[in-house]
Amino acid sequence: MELQAKLQQSLAHSKRPRTVVRGLRAVWVAAVVYGEVGVYYWRIGRCRWPEPKTEADADADAIAGRPTRVAIVADAQIVDHYSYGQTGMLLRIVEFFTDIYVRKAYLVLQDVRQPAIVVNLGDLMDGGRELLEDADEAWLAEYARFRSVFRNRAPTARRVFEMAGNHDIGIGNTVVPHALSRFHRRVGATNQIVAAGGHRLALVDTLTLESDDPAVRSGARRLVEQLRIQRESNSGAPPTLLFSHVPLWRAANTPCGPLRQSKHGALLSRHGYQFRDQLQRNTTEYLLETVRPQAVFSGDDHDTCSVTHPMAGTGETVSEHTIGAFGWASGVPVASYALLTLSPGVGGAPPAFALQHCFLPYQLGIYKAYVLLLAASLALLLRACWWRRRLAAAASAGGAGQRIRAQTEMRSRLSLPLDVLRAAGAVALVAAPAYVACILYFYAV
């Protein structure tokens, strides 16, 4: 009787399941807030605006005077039916989780870094080129979805330029005329010159430049020739930074540098249905010889790549920086973007620029962390519920015979999974609303 009394007293004071549930609630809320909100501010906050390098005899304050800050993003390719062939509810789930990642990243990028200009290097949608004349309404719905994801939070203070990608209009001789004209009407010009920070940003539609149809390539060629005329007629013209959706041609196996994530250390040279990994060699040489850019920025590859191109006849070289994809479902583990600082050059200092590649949160890593936390939570709840059941069984069968004790232990083992599920539900009752609140935060701001 004394043993039974001790067991009942121990059971009365045992609050292990409730204590574990309260602790896990706090852990899950902290994990969700960090994984859905905090990690975005941390990752984007770590990558700061670069400062242009100064010459030995240049005044640092002069060369850095009133710089223009430019954020470069590429290849968001909002997921649709053409991405992975899903339909129905599965497609809606994939769209939600890929969209919310980009929405969070883009909003936090604007909040934390506050760029004056955003250049989107193209591939706004994944299947834009597939939606033809009889599917304009579907295209408009997808474009509205893109606009909601890439919402400009300061339209009066921030200029946004969106280039066309091969997923939007095709490339070369496979450019879709209707998709191109629709892009011009609904999104904007595909060839532009933007004056910013003492530089000319030449946004060239190299997709149409590679077409054999003079009517298709005329806009791009006209802009390139305009840049040549300005350069030749004005030796004091501001330096030009060339932006192209598709990277320039380079020799096979040219290394891309240490930031590349792919197992291929160099950009490949493949081509297929409405895509090409690199521009053709003659297009590349034409652009470099005609424009003579100070630097080139490209996308399309989904991965980071930095190379140097020779400019024929000048003995000079130009660097090209390929910006990684902004979404997490692009075949590259970690999404990325770039920060570009343009300094106009005052006090005798020439214009200068500096580029910094930046990386976004590793979304699959976040999901893996949730799975590990779920496994650990279930193990803790199982242990806590098992301990309480053991005490209860010992207290109720303390003075009973062996047969009654065996029956009590059997009932305890059978009901243990239900206890664990109830405790897990109690944790989810707090963790799930915390997750929803974090998602709603990015729709409210």
Side-chain angles (χ1 to χ4, degrees), residues 378-428:
L378 292 175
L380 286 172
L381 291 172
L382 178 62
R383 174 67 179 174
C385 293
W386 172 81
W387 179 256
R388 185 168 179 82
R389 280 283 174 181
R390 182 183 179 188
L391 291 178
S396 62
Q402 182 177 358
R403 181 178 179 181
I404 296 177
R405 286 198 298 271
Q407 292 175 343
T408 302
E409 291 174 2
M410 179 61 69
R411 286 195 298 270
S412 177
R413 284 195 293 270
L414 291 175
S415 59
L416 181 59
L418 293 177
D419 287 350
V420 174
L421 288 176
R422 291 190 193 98
V427 175

